[in-house]
Amino acid sequence: MKIVVCIKQISDPEYFPQITLDPETGSIQRDKVPAILNPLDENALEEGLRIKEKFSGTLTVVTMGPPGAREVLDWALALGADEAVLLSDRAFAGADTLATAYTLAEYMRKMVEPDIILCGNQTEDGATGQVAPQIAELLNIPHVTSVSEVSYVDESTLIAKQNIEYGGYLKVKVKLPALLAVVKDINEVRDITAEGIMNASDKEFKTLGAADLEVDPGCVGNNGSPTSVIGTFKQEIDRQKEILTGTPQEIANKVLQKIHDANIL
Amino acid sequence: MSNNNNIWVWIEQRNGKLMDVSLQTLGKGIELAKHLAGKVSAVLIGDNIEGMAKEIICYGADNVYLVADPGLKLYQSRAYTRIISELITMHKPDILLMGASNIGIDLAPAVAARVKTGLTAHCSDLQIETIDNKPQLVATIPGFSGGMIVKIVWNEIKPWMATVSSGVAEKPDFDETRQGAVVKVDYEAKDEDLQIQTVEMVEREPASMPVEGAAIVVSGGKGIKTNEEFKLIKDLAEVLGAALGGTRPARDAEWITTDNLIGSSGKTISPKLFISIGASGAAHYTCGFMKAKYIIAIDKDPSAPIFDMCDLGIQADLNEIVPCLIEQLKSS
């Protein structure tokens, strides 16, 4: 079975309040903000490893990003991925979800033809959750998002539990090839081992650009993005911004008084 | 004639009931249509849904494209994607909105990819602005740093698509005298539709008070580190009769469920009183409660951006202040 896991390096959410946006271009300025692997992508890789263990096959891990994104691919190789691919090119910069999905889908269509694709349900930075279903659609294969459980009828059919509101769910029967976007509940992520790290350096790693993928230049990066940022603005916040001081008892007293005076309750 | 005047809203139904977030999204569609002197059409897919089509007209749609078939009773992702995409190709709407339910955010990206158009998620607002002398749909999303917003536009490819989160817009008034057209659309299953089949849907009721619609909401952030601290927050909510919400770190720590997540990827709410505890105030969180009538913020860090966005700020350890608040509320 050919398994592809899509992962993404993101800015550490702990540091989100320190991220600023360029007032001219609207692009994100994240210097000095540490980068981490998107948390749900760990679950996607874990699920990929389990499928490989169950049916055998090869597991390719792929990301689109700047050269520094290699870090998260090395981590995936150490955990057990067989090969890693970094899609990196200046032409890919400024991509919205459609252009990102197009680039990843073109790589898979031309180089892998996967049986199953796994993604984290959403990233913690953009959090749109759009790229995964869009990859599937561009490959003309089915997808299931918010997957919290998978069982296999046979090697080409699976049943996915798709979470909906308030703990409800859909049971979805899917024929492979297909894409699953997973949530945290799907599995417990394994630990990295020293042996895994040692083995990782012998595994295949490649970087592919726009020319390697023979992509349509009008479909990638900023050019291929039907949505764009026109600017960033300071929100007008009309609040009283009164800071209370005193002992905890005094403060609690004042809070109750304020709530009473403001006639809220 | 303006060329931006056909606004579509996909209305989700589950087990014969219209989803609230879809009706709120219809409300946003009606508001945009007023600015553009346009028409609002709904797309409704399911089985035995004609009564619901009339209901949608009473809520303000000018017409409803109705696609009914026993095979469409439950959400079928490929079939629904194909149906909506084919309707788009045939009728060329200018704007298409979908409520950001779990199913809506599964469906919308697939439709956008199939018709190769732009889609924005989690907008805190959608409005029409005049850009280069043309009416243009503008989506507002929260920036990263506190108090910043980012504006997004679409290029010339139509329809301009957006998912609209719960609470961003208001459900329109119901007027049972309203008239509109129901346009029946035939459906015939194709092999590709059957590559994926929803075989069962299990719906659950909220296990705790939902944050949407609650008069008071107490919300916790990553400043809550222990079970004891979380219990304090919960006790405060209980004594106030408040719903309990939180930030992504609170959700990740499983203090709250995703259903009570506040912010751009969760709920947008407008309670009378919002109390934020142990959250510094990242924009993707604060955008979820900026419409609250009164905001109280409690956080240890005096430089936290949340103190620029509240009515009343308490720069203290929650372990000291929250027990006092609970005690005084109990005795008052």
Side-chain angles (χ1 to χ4, degrees):
Chain A
M1 186 160 330
K2 279 188 273 185
I3 307 155
V4 171
V5 180
C6 302
I7 64 175
K8 189 188 178 196
Q9 189 179 43
I10 63 162
S11 299
D12 188 339
E14 294 269 326
Y15 294 81
F16 277 176
Q18 292 170 30
I19 297 175
T20 53
L21 295 145
D22 186 312
E24 291 297 312
T25 65
S27 63
I28 295 163
Q29 294 177 324
R30 53 180 103 207
D31 320 342
K32 295 175 202 150
V33 175
I36 60 162
L37 174 70
N38 180 53
L40 287 180
D41 298 353
E42 298 189 23
N43 301 90
L45 179 65
E46 177 63 39
E47 202 56 29
L49 293 169
R50 290 182 189 199
I51 294 168
K52 190 191 152 182
E53 284 154 9
K54 193 175 173 73
F55 296 113
S56 83
T58 55
L59 193 158
T60 305
V61 63
V62 60
T63 192
M64 182 179 108
R70 176 168 183 159
E71 275 178 35
V72 294
L73 294 171
D74 285 337
W75 167 88
L77 289 173
L79 270 171
D82 298 303
E83 56 168 6
V85 176
L86 172 63
L87 306 180
S88 195
D89 197 307
R90 283 196 171 275
F92 300 159
D96 71 359
T97 66
L98 188 65
T100 303
Y102 169 80
T103 309
L104 287 159
E106 282 296 279
Y107 158 71
M108 291 182 216
R109 192 168 68 80
K110 290 172 179 167
M111 310 260 183
V112 199
E113 293 189 31
D115 298 299
I116 190 157
I117 304 164
L118 295 146
C119 302
N121 198 56
Q122 76 272 333
T123 59
E124 292 288 312
D125 55 354
T128 67
Q130 290 175 183
V131 172
Q134 294 193 317
I135 292 171
E137 193 55 40
L138 293 172
L139 291 171
N140 198 23
I141 62 172
H143 73 271
V144 192
T145 56
S146 291
V147 175
S148 60
E149 212 177 288
V150 185
S151 58
Y152 294 86
V153 178
D154 55 50
E155 206 161 323
S156 64
T157 312
L158 59 83
I159 308 246
K161 182 178 172 188
Q162 176 173 17
N163 287 357
I164 59 171
E165 285 75 7
Y166 306 119
Y169 59 89
L170 306 179
K171 277 219 161 133
V172 187
K173 191 173 173 186
V174 193
K175 290 208 178 91
L176 298 186
L179 179 147
L180 304 179
V182 306
V183 295
K184 199 178 166 195
D185 295 347
I186 194 165
N187 54 37
E188 288 280 334
V189 176
R190 69 193 63 190
D191 289 327
I192 212 156
T193 63
E195 195 193 354
I197 295 169
M198 304 253 290
N199 292 341
S201 54
D202 298 332
K203 292 178 177 174
E204 187 173 6
F205 175 91
K206 56 186 170 195
T207 303
L208 300 173
D212 304 308
L213 297 177
E214 296 177 351
V215 289
D216 178 345
C219 292
V220 297
N222 193 41
N223 287 338
S225 298
T227 61
S228 57
V229 170
I230 50 165
T232 62
F233 304 87
K234 186 86 189 155
Q235 207 173 2
E236 295 292 325
I237 297 168
D238 186 20
R239 295 279 171 188
Q240 295 165 24
K241 300 176 196 175
E242 183 184 346
I243 304 297
L244 295 181
T245 53
T247 65
Q249 282 76 14
E250 286 163 358
I251 291 174
N253 250 326
K254 287 181 199 166
V255 171
L256 261 63
Q257 192 60 47
K258 288 279 176 191
I259 293 175
H260 183 263
D261 292 350
N263 201 18
I264 303 161
L265 304 181
Chain B
M1 274 293 280
S2 155
N3 55 6
N4 294 302
N5 51 10
N6 282 315
I7 295 163
W8 282 21
V9 182
W10 172 65
I11 302 284
E12 182 182 356
Q13 57 81 27
R14 291 187 193 168
N15 279 330
K17 196 173 170 300
L18 300 174
M19 294 283 286
D20 250 3
V21 68
S22 292
L23 294 172
Q24 292 168 9
T25 305
L26 179 67
K28 179 50 88 174
I30 292 166
E31 182 194 314
L32 296 177
K34 275 187 193 146
H35 283 280
L36 295 165
K39 275 189 164 178
V40 179
S41 302
V43 178
L44 180 68
I45 307 172
D47 187 31
N48 285 324
I49 49 176
E50 277 177 49
M52 278 184 274
K54 299 222 165 60
E55 212 182 319
I56 293 167
I57 287 166
C58 296
Y59 275 114
D62 296 302
N63 61 341
V64 178
Y65 293 101
L66 179 88
V67 192
D69 189 272
L72 301 172
K73 184 177 191 303
L74 300 174
Y75 170 59
Q76 303 296 348
S77 80
R78 292 229 99 190
Y80 278 43
T81 300
R82 186 170 68 81
I83 290 166
I84 297 172
S85 301
E86 286 177 0
L87 284 170
I88 290 171
T89 308
M90 195 183 302
H91 299 283
K92 301 186 172 36
D94 299 289
I95 292 172
L96 169 58
L97 308 179
M98 298 194 183
S101 68
N102 282 35
I103 289 173
I105 59 176
D106 185 280
L107 174 63
V111 172
R114 190 170 286 210
V115 301
K116 301 204 166 43
T117 195
L119 170 67
T120 66
H122 309 317
C123 24
S124 42
D125 202 8
L126 276 172
Q127 68 240 343
I128 303 295
E129 291 185 15
T130 304
I131 297 173
D132 296 335
N133 293 317
K134 281 182 293 195
Q136 169 75 45
L137 183 64
V138 178
T140 304
I141 61 165
F144 285 94
S145 41
M148 295 299 287
I149 53 171
V150 179
K151 288 187 175 183
I152 292 178
V153 293
W154 288 253
N155 67 5
E156 68 290 348
I157 302 167
K158 302 275 188 77
W160 296 331
M161 282 184 65
T163 54
V164 179
S165 300
S166 167
V168 167
E170 277 180 47
K171 188 166 147 177
D173 293 331
F174 186 87
D175 172 1
E176 60 185 347
T177 65
R178 275 194 100 252
Q179 298 291 317
V182 176
V183 183
K184 286 188 187 168
V185 179
D186 290 333
Y187 170 75
E188 204 176 311
K190 284 193 179 175
D191 283 349
E192 61 166 308
D193 299 350
L194 306 174
Q195 287 171 308
I196 178 164
Q197 286 174 281
T198 301
V199 291
E200 186 188 4
M201 174 170 68
V202 175
E203 287 196 278
R204 295 261 162 83
E205 291 297 315
S208 57
M209 192 196 297
V211 290
E212 58 268 35
I216 310 173
V217 174
V218 172
S219 172
K222 72 171 185 221
I224 303 163
K225 300 287 186 200
T226 64
N227 281 322
E228 290 71 33
E229 288 176 340
F230 177 65
K231 191 172 178 301
L232 283 177
I233 311 294
K234 217 174 143 184
D235 288 349
L236 178 63
E238 203 175 291
V239 68
L240 282 164
L244 189 61
T247 64
R248 281 192 215 161
R251 190 268 320 266
D252 293 343
E254 295 176 6
W255 306 128
I256 59 154
T257 66
T258 301
D259 298 303
N260 281 354
L261 176 67
I262 310 287
S264 56
S265 49
K267 300 283 162 63
T268 298
I269 52 172
S270 42
K272 286 181 183 165
L273 174 61
F274 186 85
I275 305 179
S276 174
I277 304 173
S280 63
H284 60 78
Y285 164 59
T286 58
C287 67
F289 58 88
M290 277 298 110
K291 286 189 252 173
K293 192 173 165 209
Y294 198 81
I295 299 170
I296 299 176
I298 303 173
D299 196 69
K300 265 198 291 205
D301 176 9
S303 66
I306 190 97
F307 294 117
D308 291 327
M309 300 173 213
C310 65
D311 294 293
L312 209 54
I314 302 163
Q315 297 167 342
D317 187 338
L318 69 95
N319 291 294
E320 289 170 10
I321 190 72
V322 176
C324 287
L325 280 171
I326 293 170
E327 199 178 305
Q328 299 211 7
L329 281 163
K330 274 184 182 161
S331 61
S332 72

